[in-house]
């Protein structure tokens, strides 16, 4: 059948503009978008000359002065490589009396950019050639395929307006196959076969092999490409791929990414082009690359694809030698849990790793089972001295580090571990005192009970801690004593800061970045207590810069969360909202106990945003964990947050939650943990009356709460009022504004004009006292006028 030409208006407008202005037009798009056909149709009644560079050189090169046609079309310019043809094009472009149309699949080559630097150039790009629903429906009708406007919209979206893909689909549908999953799948295979002839067969063998191997990765760098492909000239191959078409793109920062259509095609092609051995070698090399980069999750995924079970076990053993703050236990849990039991039982390190993993997953029974298996292994006859020592070392480590065991009896455990270290009976692995939290009191373990006898423990445990923890404990005694004193008010601020600064120097020179972060976290709280939020924020940002410079990127998630928490004191609600959207962990997707600090910050952000139901849900999830794992400090925090949420939701049990939290805080003589909630807590305490607290503690607490409330009147602010009631139309438009719909979309949905929407929009902003969309959503939530996400 003879197809009629279907015009794409945007491209034809650009052709017309370029002709009228007599300027060079460059049309750039992947093959199959109908670039050449569209140009030839536009020029069908005009005298023109077409020269093709499809073979790498021009098929004809008439002397420029002999060309009589007024229009010259240079097609397939992306393939042009021959120097003589390139020189010819340069001389041809000097003819100012000719109108030139250039057609290619990639950005203008560098050599051509220099030649046309002083000329006006108009560009037509891929989106200018894409067929929309109307053109799609018209084209299908030519194939005697009738679809509804809604179906045409879906087909145009699925085919990305690509002419060849649509043609292949039309042939399938003409043969009686309705549009759906089967038609889409068969068209996909048809397109891949088209790509075989249109692209793949024209590539040289080296380029084919390189692209096949790189297709397995979302993005890659040059060093990664070199290691995976084994090509020393990988940079030249990548450059070649980018000049042939825009299938491969670079961000200019050394990162490359294949367009999805090429990547999917090459992944399909792998099965026929690569042998099993080549496939395994490809992913084995990739695994080595990611392992060297420290990306254990990607390395394991690649080793899994290459069937390298030995490398998987080796990598999991290495990971098990790290503490939970640095080890990737959660991310790699599937690989740990898939290890054969018989294999794990031969390795003390893997048994310890699985005991730790199950504890992190809140599977305490399984954790203790692996602990007992390790204990039984240590007692087995016939073990070498090294095997026994390894097993004892792992047991000593788990005695101290298992999260679900809390801190009860930990001082005795530390002293016993120190004795074993002195006897050289054990060699302890790295520890995490802080679990990357901005606290020691509330870090890897909960040390609230220790605060009751903090000075005594500082003396008796100093040497055991230094011996057992090594550099991981550097600065610990100073910061633990300072943080305990801050919570109890047993030292003045200057004395506490002196301890923290001396501890920071020790940790920075002899210890770890994790301990430094804990110290910075306590310092920021002291600055907040002294009405110095800017100083707190500045201190944290300086430390963040240091962390990035030194490569301690595992601390960044909690540093960013602490930054949000500091900002909330001064009412920076929009930043908190953005953090939730972009970075905060999603408790509805997966719940992980090492995210506890970010979860608590998220609850505070939910409160400030008026998202009370979400805050309540997360509070209850954390409550079970905090109780089961004896996280006393966080039980206090979570209890206070629960009370505030219940109070704002007008639930009658808020007073009980408040009483339980404050009585727990009183047991440790802690004040800031509650007082920091200031203006959010003040109305609850005022309304609650007697909370069965000792007078001296209650007076200290009430005074501190008032000071925080006066210093930070916007902290977790609940109040939001309308300056005037909303009209019926404004109340109808408000949820649409909050949902992110454009003014044009709102006008269409409500059957009113764009200007009418603008008028009501201004009134809504004025009545809510806000300046932008994000503030509208926050205010609407706080008023209970919007409950979306």
């Amino acid at each position: 059948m003879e197809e009629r030409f279907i015009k794409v208006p945007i491209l034809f407008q650009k052709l017309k503009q370029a002709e009228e202005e007599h300027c060079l037009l460059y049309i750039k798009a992947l093959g199959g978008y109908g670039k050449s056909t569209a140009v030839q149709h536009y020029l069908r009644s005009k005298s023109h000359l077409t020269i093709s560079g499809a073979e790498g050189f021009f098929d004809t090169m008439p002397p420029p002065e002999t060309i009589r046609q007024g229009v010259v079309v240079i097609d397939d310019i992306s393939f042009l490589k021959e120097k003589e043809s390139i020189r010819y094009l340069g001389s041809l472009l000097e003819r100012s009396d000719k109108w030139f149309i250039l057609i290619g699949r990639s950005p203008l080559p560098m050599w051509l950019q220099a030649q046309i630097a002083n000329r006006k150039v108009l560009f037509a790009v891929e989106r200018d050639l894409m067929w929309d629903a109307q053109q799609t429906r018209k084209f299908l009708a030519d194939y005697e395929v009738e679809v509804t406007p809604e179906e045409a919209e879906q087909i145009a979206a699925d085919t990305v307006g690509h002419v060849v893909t649509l043609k292949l689909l039309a042939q399938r549908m003409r043969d009686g196959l309705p549009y759906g999953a089967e038609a889409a799948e068969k068209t996909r295979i048809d397109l891949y076969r088209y790509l075989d002839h249109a692209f793949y067969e024209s590539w040289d063998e080296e380029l084919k092999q390189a692209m096949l191997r790189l297709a397995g990765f979302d993005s890659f760098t040059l060093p990664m490409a070199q290691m995976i492909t084994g090509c020393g000239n990988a940079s030249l191959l990548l450059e070649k791929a980018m000049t042939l078409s825009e299938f491969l793109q670079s961000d200019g920062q050394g990162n490359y990414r294949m367009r999805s259509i090429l990547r999917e095609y090459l992944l399909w092609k792998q099965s026929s082009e690569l042998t099993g051995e080549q496939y395994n070698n490809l992913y084995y090399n990739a695994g080595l690359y990611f392992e060297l980069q420290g990306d254990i999750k990607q390395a394991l995924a690649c080793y899994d694809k290459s069937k390298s079970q030995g490398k998987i076990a080796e990598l999991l053993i290495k990971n098990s030698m790290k503490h939970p703050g640095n080890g990737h236990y959660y991310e790699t849990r599937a690989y740990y849990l898939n290890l054969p039991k018989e294999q794990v039982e031969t390795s003390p390190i893997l048994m310890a790793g699985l005991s730790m993993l199950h504890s992190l997953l809140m599977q305490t029974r399984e954790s203790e089972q692996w602990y007992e298996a390790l204990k039984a292994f240590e007692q087995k006859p016939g073990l070498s001295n090294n095997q026994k020592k390894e097993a004892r070392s792992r047991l000593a480590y788990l005695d101290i580090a298992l999260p679900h065991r809390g801190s009860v009896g930990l001082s005795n455990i530390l002293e016993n571990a120190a004795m074993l270290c002195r006897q050289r009976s054990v060699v302890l692995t790295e520890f995490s005192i802080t679990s990357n939290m901005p606290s020691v009191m509330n870090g890897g373990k909960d040390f609230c009970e220790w605060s009751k006898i903090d000075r005594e423990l500082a003396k008796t445990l100093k040497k055991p801690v230094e011996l057992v923890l090594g550099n991981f404990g550097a600065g610990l005694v100073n910061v633990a004593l300072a943080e305990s004193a801050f919570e109890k008010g047993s030292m003045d601020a200057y004395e506490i800061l002196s301890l923290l600064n001396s501890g920071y120097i020790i940790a920075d020179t002899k210890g770890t970045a994790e301990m430094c972060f804990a110290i910075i976290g306590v310092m920021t709280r002291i600055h907040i207590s002294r009405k110095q939020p800017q100083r707190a924020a500045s201190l944290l940002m300086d430390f963040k810069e240091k962390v990035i410079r030194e490569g301690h990127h595992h601390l960044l998630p909690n540093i960013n969360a602490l930054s949000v928490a500091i900002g909330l004191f001064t009412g920076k609600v929009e930043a908190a909202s953005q953090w939730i959207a972009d970075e905060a962990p999603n408790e509805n997707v997966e719940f992980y106990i090492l995210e506890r600090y970010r979860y608590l910050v998220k609850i505070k952000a939910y409160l400030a945003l008026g998202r009370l139901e979400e805050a309540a849900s997360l509070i209850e999830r954390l409550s079970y964990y905090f109780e089961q794992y004896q996280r006393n400090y966080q039980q206090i925090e979570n209890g206070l947050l629960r009370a505030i949420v219940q109070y704002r939701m007008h639930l009658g049990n808020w007073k009980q939650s408040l009483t339980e939290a404050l009585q727990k805080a009183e047991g440790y003589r802690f004040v800031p943990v509650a007082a920091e909630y200031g203006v959010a807590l003040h109305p609850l305490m005022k309304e609650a009356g007697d909370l069965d607290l000792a007078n001296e503690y209650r007076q200290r607490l009430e005074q501190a709460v008032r000071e925080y409330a006066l210093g930070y009147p916007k902290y977790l602010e609940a109040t939001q009022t309308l300056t005037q009631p909303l009209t019926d139309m404004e109340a109808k438009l408000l949820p649409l504004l909050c949902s992110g719909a454009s003014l044009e979309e709102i006008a269409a949905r409500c059957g009113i004009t764009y200007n009418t929407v603008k008028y009501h929009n201004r009134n809504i902003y004025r009545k809510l006292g806000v300046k932008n969309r994000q503030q509208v959503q926050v205010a609407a939530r706080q008023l209970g006028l919007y409950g979306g996400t």
Side-chain angles (χ1 to χ4, degrees), residues 729 732-733 736 744-753 757:
M729 179 56 74
K732 181 180 180 181
L733 298 185
L736 296 173
E744 291 86 351
E745 290 170 335
I746 294 172
R749 286 192 209 180
C750 297
I752 56 179
T753 67
V757 176

Side-chain angles (χ1 to χ4, degrees), residues 80-97:
L80 200 58
K81 292 289 179 282
E82 186 194 55
K83 290 184 179 179
E84 184 181 350
S85 296
I86 291 172
R87 283 195 296 270
Y88 172 76
L89 179 58
S91 62
L92 189 59
L93 289 171
E94 292 176 1
R95 292 290 302 271
S96 60
D97 59 324

Side-chain angles (χ1 to χ4, degrees), residues 132-156 166 169-170 173-174 177-180:
D132 61 17
Q134 183 180 358
Q135 290 142 9
T136 296
R137 197 176 185 207
K138 190 184 296 184
F139 178 80
L140 290 172
D142 288 346
Y143 276 75
E144 300 178 352
V145 175
E146 297 298 325
V147 295
T148 66
E150 293 75 20
E151 288 172 327
E153 286 276 3
Q154 186 62 51
I155 291 170
L166 187 57
L169 175 64
M173 295 181 72
R174 184 183 58 190
L177 189 63
Y179 187 69

